Amino acid sequence: LTTGLVDQGSGDACGNVTLEVAPSSFTAMDLGGNTVTLTVTDANENTATCTATVTVVDKVAPTANCQDITVELDTRGSATISPSEVDQGSGDNSGSSVSLFLDRADFDCSDVGQNTVTLRVADGSQNTASCTATVTVQDTTPPTALCKAATLELNANGEASLTADLVDDGSGDACGNVTLEVSPSNFTVRDLGENTVRLMLTDQQGNTASCQTTVTVADNQAPTAICKDIIVELDTMGSATIGVTDIDNGSYDSKGGGVSLALDRTDFSCSDIGENSVTLTATDNGGNIASCTATVLIQEVTAPLAIVTNSGPVCRGSAFQLNEISGLGTSWSWTSSGDAIFNDPGIQNPEVTNVSNGEEFTVTITLVNGCTSIGTTVALVLEAPVLKTKSEQQFCILETPTVSDLMASGYGNIRWYAEENGTAALKSDIPLADGAMYYGALENGDGCVSEKVVVRVALENCNKLDDPGKRGFSPNGDGINDTFSIYGLREDYPNYSMTIYNRNGSMVYKGNIDTPDWDGSSDHGLVLGDGKLPSGVYYYKIEFGDGTTAQALGIVFLNR
């Protein structure tokens, strides 16, 4: 402050004066009225004072400095800024504080992006200044995802589509519309039941959010059941079992899923012979059911259940044992195609007599389940051998004949007994007694025994026997006495026949005028090896064939 601003003509009579004012300096602290003192000093150091009021005023505008800022919208889609956020050191020359004002402080979704705001700066003297700043409003808040469960039903093709709105439960964003997507969105029969899906939201600023929920895929369309009729034969136990594949004729689910099949009955027995209705039920993966009916024709078992054996072969006259061995019967009934006699035709294993060869025996058995079955067997009856001999046989006393000399023919083993009902066979070296009766029986290789024949023995002096030298031969190939022949037989009896027997009474050779003399070989019965018979006693019988001469019997000795 200068003195001139407060001096209003101060002076001195004696001349010049010196002026001083105090205080002379002011700051922002002194704004308004201030009392100052003006001191006047003359040349003689005389002083005088007066006061004045100095009003300090501020007419210099403050300085406004701005800065650009970025703000985020909150979850309500709004944002508010303060002047201090935009201010970048605005101030006043007085050093005092300034007041800051914005032309706008609130922003919403419509302001996303860059916005210009003005900051006004005012000092205490109402001097003002302003600047502008760019406020960038951002929306980085994700939208709100809200899910709800949903149920889908498969169509006839076994498909279902899910749209986002079906699982959206009011999702949204403070700044407006959102884009909704759901995944997965397509379902088939493989997805029956509960499935987890995700709902995804995207707002206009690209912010995303998601939530999970459950989508239940349901199948309310029934499958198609297709049946076929079948024919079933009972097995050997009188039972039959069928399965779904026997009745099913291509049941299916149009939606492409599988079906499970079941029958209302699977087991059959004899009581079901004929037509039976069976229901096939088809169930798809969604629990939907369809059914159809088929006819199951049950036929009787054709294979015999009864297993029949017999004790054959047996010799004629022997008892015949029948056996049914399946073990399945509860009762039995036997019949015969011939005249066999059963000891009891109602038992499992009867014995029969009076059986003929080739006679068929049939048994009908009843099973536990009520079925019946038939089994058969055929009897094999062996014929008893026939022992042929002369009821009167003569022997030479001098040759001391024994039982082994008794002559009989037949294939098998001959045994001789002293009594008709005897069971102990006579030894072959027992001497024959004149006038004695001997009973012979022939047992063949099958074990069958002939009826007994009787032979009466007469011992004589043997005057009519041929020359003993002619009743022996030695077929050893030396050219001497190699065959058995009787002198004059061929010339005198051209119709003769000669039969040779071994000690057992079995025929080993038979010849006549058209065959060579016997060379010791066998041409009848069981011929072994080269057919040459061993050394030993053999018996011959000659039928002369002239109608008058009695047959001749004798012994021939073969010596190799």
Side-chain angles (χ1 to χ4, degrees):
L1 177 67
T2 64
T3 59
L5 291 177
V6 294
D7 179 39
Q8 198 173 13
S10 299
D12 184 68
C14 288
N16 291 333
V17 290
T18 301
L19 300 177
E20 291 181 359
V21 63
S24 60
S25 296
F26 301 91
T27 67
M29 300 296 294
D30 302 312
L31 286 175
N34 299 271
T35 299
V36 296
T37 299
L38 178 64
T39 301
V40 179
T41 303
D42 63 16
N44 296 304
E45 299 295 327
N46 298 307
T47 64
T49 63
C50 64
T51 61
T53 300
V54 176
T55 301
V56 178
V57 295
D58 179 11
K59 293 187 176 181
V60 177
T63 301
N65 292 319
C66 290
Q67 63 179 355
D68 297 334
I69 64 172
T70 299
V71 296
E72 302 283 340
L73 294 179
D74 60 20
T75 57
R76 295 171 297 176
S78 62
T80 299
I81 63 174
S82 64
S84 61
E85 293 178 87
V86 176
D87 179 49
Q88 194 179 23
S90 299
D92 187 59
N93 60 332
S94 64
S96 62
S97 62
V98 293
S99 298
L100 303 176
F101 305 93
L102 288 174
D103 62 345
R104 65 176 300 188
D106 296 321
F107 301 87
D108 58 25
C109 297
S110 62
D111 299 312
V112 171
Q114 292 183 344
N115 301 267
T116 300
V117 298
T118 299
L119 176 69
R120 186 171 64 88
V121 182
D123 62 15
S125 300
Q126 301 302 311
N127 300 304
T128 62
S130 65
C131 61
T132 61
T134 298
V135 177
T136 302
V137 178
Q138 294 181 337
D139 177 14
T140 59
T141 301
T144 301
L146 300 174
C147 288
K148 64 181 178 180
T151 298
L152 292 178
E153 183 176 330
L154 295 176
N155 60 23
N157 296 323
E159 300 173 341
S161 296
L162 176 67
T163 57
D165 59 292
L166 292 177
V167 293
D168 179 36
D169 197 24
S171 301
D173 185 72
C175 288
N177 296 332
V178 292
T179 301
L180 302 178
E181 292 183 6
V182 65
S183 178
S185 60
N186 295 315
F187 302 88
T188 66
V189 290
R190 293 187 296 273
D191 304 307
L192 285 175
E194 294 185 349
N195 300 268
T196 300
V197 298
R198 180 176 292 278
L199 178 65
M200 294 166 288
L201 290 78
T202 304
D203 65 14
Q204 295 175 345
Q205 305 306 317
N207 302 304
T208 61
S210 66
C211 56
Q212 287 190 170
T213 187
T214 298
V215 172
T216 301
V217 177
D219 176 14
N220 295 324
Q221 298 188 22
T224 300
I226 305 175
C227 290
K228 62 182 176 182
D229 298 336
I230 62 172
I231 299 175
V232 178
E233 185 178 282
L234 296 177
D235 62 19
T236 55
M237 295 295 294
S239 301
T241 299
I242 63 172
V244 292
T245 56
D246 299 315
I247 299 298
D248 178 45
N249 197 27
S251 301
Y252 67 95
D253 182 17
S254 63
K255 301 175 290 299
V259 292
S260 20
L261 304 174
L263 295 175
D264 63 342
R265 65 175 305 188
T266 58
D267 298 320
F268 301 87
S269 63
C270 296
S271 60
D272 300 308
I273 290 174
E275 293 185 350
N276 300 265
S277 292
V278 174
T279 299
L280 173 70
T281 300
T283 305
D284 65 16
N285 293 334
N288 303 299
I289 295 175
S291 62
C292 57
T293 301
T295 297
V296 178
L297 178 61
I298 300 298
Q299 294 182 336
E300 292 187 58
V301 60
T302 57
L305 287 171
I307 303 174
V308 184
T309 64
N310 63 58
S311 59
V314 298
C315 300
R316 182 173 295 280
S318 299
F320 193 64
Q321 179 66 51
L322 296 171
N323 301 289
E324 196 287 300
I325 61 174
S326 70
L328 303 175
T330 58
S331 64
W332 299 263
S333 177
W334 290 88
T335 60
S336 167
S337 64
D339 299 323
I341 300 172
F342 291 86
N343 67 335
D344 185 346
I347 63 175
Q348 182 176 358
N349 303 315
E351 184 179 88
V352 290
T353 55
N354 197 37
V355 180
S356 300
N357 187 43
E359 190 169 353
E360 185 175 82
F361 293 88
T362 301
V363 63
T364 300
I365 67 172
T366 301
L367 308 180
V368 174
N369 57 16
C371 294
T372 59
S373 183
I374 295 176
T376 61
T377 187
V378 176
L380 176 58
V381 178
L382 304 175
E383 294 296 330
V386 177
L387 180 62
K388 296 180 179 180
T389 187
K390 287 185 63 175
S391 60
E392 296 284 342
Q393 295 188 21
Q394 297 177 349
F395 296 92
C396 177
I397 296 176
L398 297 177
E399 292 179 350
T400 61
T402 64
V403 168
S404 62
D405 295 321
L406 292 171
M407 290 182 296
S409 63
Y411 295 101
N413 186 24
I414 301 175
R415 294 186 180 88
W416 294 96
Y417 302 87
E419 298 177 355
E420 183 177 4
N421 296 323
T423 57
L426 297 172
K427 293 183 178 181
S428 60
D429 59 354
I430 294 178
L432 297 178
D434 185 34
M437 307 291 285
Y438 295 92
Y439 301 88
L442 175 64
E443 180 180 355
N444 63 17
D446 294 322
C448 296
V449 180
S450 69
E451 294 183 1
K452 288 184 178 179
V453 298
V454 61
V455 173
R456 184 178 182 279
V457 171
L459 299 180
E460 300 180 355
N461 291 325
C462 303
N463 293 330
K464 297 182 179 180
L465 290 176
D466 294 326
D467 182 359
K470 294 293 185 180
R471 294 173 55 241
F473 72 112
S474 56
N476 53 16
D478 61 359
I480 302 174
N481 201 23
D482 282 333
T483 60
F484 171 63
S485 63
I486 296 179
Y487 179 77
L489 180 61
R490 290 177 175 272
E491 294 78 9
D492 296 338
Y493 302 98
N495 295 322
Y496 86 94
S497 65
M498 176 183 292
T499 307
I500 306 296
Y501 301 91
N502 62 19
R503 294 174 65 88
N504 293 324
S506 298
M507 181 189 301
V508 296
Y509 168 81
K510 186 172 184 178
N512 54 38
I513 197 170
D514 295 323
T515 60
D517 291 336
W518 185 40
D519 64 356
S521 298
S522 174
D523 63 2
H524 279 68
L526 183 62
V527 179
L528 301 175
D530 57 6
K532 292 182 178 181
L533 295 169
S535 298
V537 176
Y538 295 85
Y539 306 94
Y540 66 86
K541 178 175 71 173
I542 300 174
E543 299 284 352
F544 293 97
D546 59 358
T548 58
T549 306
Q551 68 178 8
L553 301 173
I555 297 174
V556 59
F557 296 95
L558 188 156
N559 183 19
R560 292 192 180 277

